Amino acid sequence: MENMFCFQCEQTAGGKGCAAAQGVCGKKQDTALLQDKLTGALIGLARTANNNVPDAAATRAIIEGLFATVTNVSFDSTAIRRQIDEVHAEKAKLPGCACCSSGCGNDYDMKELWNDNEDIRSLKSLILFGMRGMAAYAFHALMLGYTDDKVNSFFYKGLLAVGSNLDMNDLLPLVMETGKANLKCMELLDRANTETYGTPVPTTVPLTIEKGPFIVISGHDLHDLYLLLEQTKGKGVNIYTHGEMLPTHAYPKLKAYPQLKGNFGTAWQNQQKEFADIPAPVLFTTNCLMPVKDSYRDRIFTTEVVAYPDMVHIGDDKDFAPVINKALELGGYPEDKIMTGINGGTQVTTGFSHGTVLSVADKVVNAVKSGAIKHFFLVGGCDGAKPGRNYYTEFVKKSPKDSIILTLGCGKYRFNDIDLGTIGGLPRIMDMGQCNDAYSAIRVALAMAEAFQCGVNELPLTIVLSWYEQKAVAVLLTLLSLGIKNIYLGPTLPAFVSPNVLNYLVENFQITPTSDPETDLKKILNQ
């Protein structure tokens, strides 16, 4: 068998790339190679479409295919083969390339990309990985009936670019265009979520698990949570969120369900320990699934594009009866189980979306003008298992008392149970939501810049990002496409960014690798 190659996530082997029989994420070599074949098939579909956007079925196949190749989504070779067949079936419906008969609609061989000039490979990887992250957001919006022609069109354009012979001068603008397309996609998802479930409101979420049957739901998909809540009404089964599902507690139409009780555990990389012997099933709706341990193998359920060999998969009918029955069978804890966050806290707060923050914009502006608030830090992104991520905990703990911490993504579990107090009635830590809620942070930053009649880069605002997978790549590209500079990025730099591309980003956007909290804070606050 040919060797796999993958360097799309932060934990990649040796900081260079996974090329053994199994990736660091736990994905087997045959599965990783099939993901490459799926990507190649998607490029073939885009080539055959010939700069047109085909029907909704073809576009959904592209969105699902890109989403399935995000780290920690699908570990199931059978499921990926099925997706490849679906992509080929959609391509077969198209009339074929209108310009010639050279076979330009053939599937792309990803080895061409991995063996390309390192700078070309780097730029194409930024486009491809950014689109994979964007596809996750587009998928969530699609599940709520929301779609955008310009976002869909870019998927085809971007895939064509990855399979093309474009040079750096052509690819650099497309990297920025990927960020712009993701901004539109995050805006679409924000509208889908808020119009369907209401504008998030600040909500305190307990970490204690009440006695009795319960289900843990992980991932990002609000629609899946809604369907589970509907199907558990009157069943005596409580629901607890996990990972990036935490912010769903803030949506009025979801928090109205009395069985939505609290949050279980911390970030995704701790699941193998936290799920051991759990007396309840866990439903994975999106990425963040890790290789399943024997201690809880019989309790894992997947849905949508998430897949793992030999796990029960909930299909398109969305009948969660197997999950509910498993919860009733296991019975939950016999007594309330008091659990804590990483820092010992027993509750966390979420719901500080742009709708909430902008509703008190006058209070924020006045606090800045009076000197009560001197700096804002957006400390957000993905959490992960590699050493160095305690940086974000220490950064927040050492941040000045006259500063506000905005956060989003699962990186917040490093510090979201710490009580930093308030400034002028505002909590010092404000959780803005999931990783896609970077849109909220952008809306707030642009509104503040308007209020102070300055550019975003002139605000007392510093962005400190932790990255792990491709959705973080998409968010970073969005920030860069808006011209936002001086971003601190860690805990390590992406392996797929070549030295020349990194130099370009440093020279044009002043991206700074994180060092240690005290040094970085001193540098930021003395600028």
Side-chain angles (χ1 to χ4, degrees), residues 45-68:
L45 174 55
R47 286 169 164 175
T48 305
N50 192 33
N51 294 319
N52 295 312
V53 178
D55 62 19
T59 299
R60 176 162 177 166
I62 279 187
I63 291 172
E64 289 185 349
L66 286 168
F67 187 8

Side-chain angles (χ1 to χ4, degrees), residues 480 484-488 504-513:
L480 298 182
I484 295 175
K485 299 181 178 181
N486 299 305
I487 296 170
Y488 282 71
Y504 174 85
L505 296 176
V506 170
E507 290 174 6
N508 288 274
F509 298 99
Q510 288 77 60
I511 284 184
T512 303

Side-chain angles (χ1 to χ4, degrees), residues 288-431:
C288 301
L289 175 64
M290 294 180 71
V292 180
K293 298 288 189 180
D294 289 341
S295 59
Y296 58 93
R297 180 175 293 276
D298 64 328
R299 293 145 209 203
I300 297 298
F301 296 80
T302 61
T303 191
E304 300 298 357
V305 298
V306 189
Y308 197 89
D310 303 321
M311 300 294 105
V312 176
H313 188 78
I314 306 300
D316 291 341
D317 62 357
K318 292 296 182 180
D319 181 359
F320 291 121
V323 190
I324 297 169
N325 292 336
K326 177 60 74 171
L328 293 169
E329 173 194 329
L330 293 170
Y333 294 111
E335 301 293 338
D336 290 359
K337 186 175 180 64
I338 299 175
M339 302 181 74
T340 63
I342 288 177
N343 302 283
T346 58
Q347 63 184 28
V348 294
T349 303
T350 188
F352 291 91
S353 68
H354 63 90
T356 295
V357 177
L358 293 181
S359 70
V360 292
D362 55 341
K363 182 183 292 188
V364 175
V365 170
N366 289 336
V368 174
K369 288 182 176 178
S370 70
I373 298 175
K374 287 191 167 59
H375 208 89
F376 294 85
F377 296 99
L378 173 60
V379 186
C382 311
D383 206 351
K386 283 177 67 175
R389 290 184 179 269
N390 286 338
Y391 168 95
Y392 299 95
T393 311
E394 294 306 310
F395 187 98
V396 168
K397 285 181 176 179
K398 295 177 185 297
S399 63
K401 293 183 179 180
D402 53 8
S403 65
I404 292 285
I405 308 295
L406 305 173
T407 189
L408 47 85
C410 64
K412 61 176 167 272
Y413 281 102
R414 294 277 171 175
F415 52 80
N416 67 340
D417 63 321
I418 301 173
D419 183 4
L420 292 184
T422 62
I423 299 177
L426 299 170
R428 282 199 56 217
I429 296 181
M430 298 186 189
D431 176 22

Side-chain angles (χ1 to χ4, degrees), residues 148 150-151 179-189 439 478:
D148 185 278
K150 290 183 178 179
V151 171
K180 291 178 181 177
N182 186 59
L183 177 62
K184 183 171 284 293
C185 192
M186 290 194 297
E187 179 183 14
L188 175 73
L189 180 55
Y439 175 72
T478 294

